[in-house]
Amino acid sequence: MGGTYNYAMTQLSLIVAIAQNRVIGANNALPWHLPEDLKRFRALTTGHHIIMGRKTYDSLNRLLPNRTTVIVTRNPHYKVPGALIAHSLADAIKQAVNDDEVFLIGGAELYRDGLNLADKLYLTEIEASFEGDAFFPEINLMEWAEIGREKHISEKGLTFSYITYQRKR
C-alpha cells in the first residue's frame, strides 16, 4: 500500500500529463504544448520539493523557481548548484521530509518506482495519442479513489482532463 516509506507526515504526490496511449515524453521533451497544464503544474508545486530524474532535469535545463529541486541520479559525482542530489527515490523523499507534500515530476523510471509509494496522483489526461519513447506505468484503479475531475479544451483545441486520485486506505 502507498506511503510505506512513512517519513513523518510527508505525502508523496505524482504529477504527470499523459496521452491516451500512456505517452509522457518524446526525445526528452513533452510531445504537446499545453500552457494551461504548465500553469496548473506551477500552482500545485510552488513552495514544495520536486523530485525528478537526471534526464528530466536535463530536459528542463534549469531549476524551477520557488521550489526545492531534488535530482535522482546514479552518478555519485553529479552536482547541480542549488539542487539537492539523491541516489535513490527513497533518499530523495528523505531529503524532502519536512515538506507536507512532495511532488514526483518524472521521468518514466521514477514514476514506475514512485507509483507504489504515492499517496496522490495529479493526472492531466490528454484525449489524443502521441508518438513517444517515455510511458507512464499502468495504474491499478482499484487502489485509487477519484477525488476530482475537470474537463477542459485548450486554446489549440486539445481536449484534456485534470484528474486527481487519492490512494485508498
Side-chain angles (χ1 to χ4, degrees), residues 85-104:
I85 306 299
H87 301 293
S88 70
L89 180 54
D91 183 29
I93 295 167
K94 283 180 189 166
Q95 291 191 49
V97 73
N98 293 324
D99 195 339
D100 62 337
E101 186 171 18
V102 176
F103 289 87
L104 176 55

Side-chain angles (χ1 to χ4, degrees), residues 36-96:
E36 300 91 339
D37 187 50
L38 298 176
K39 285 181 191 161
R40 177 178 181 255
F41 174 89
R42 182 173 47 247
L44 288 168
T45 62
T46 293
H48 294 283
H49 286 72
I50 53 174
I51 297 172
M52 69 186 82
R54 184 205 37 90
K55 289 181 198 171
T56 299
Y57 174 74
D58 288 347
S59 74
L60 296 171
N61 202 25
R62 65 185 178 101
L63 297 175
L64 298 178
N66 305 313
R67 284 155 274 208
T68 302
T69 300
V70 186
I71 303 168
V72 179
T73 177
R74 292 181 189 94
N75 180 346
H77 307 292
Y78 188 80
K79 298 212 179 330
V80 172
L84 302 173
I85 306 299
H87 301 293
S88 70
L89 180 54
D91 183 29
I93 295 167
K94 283 180 189 166
Q95 291 191 49

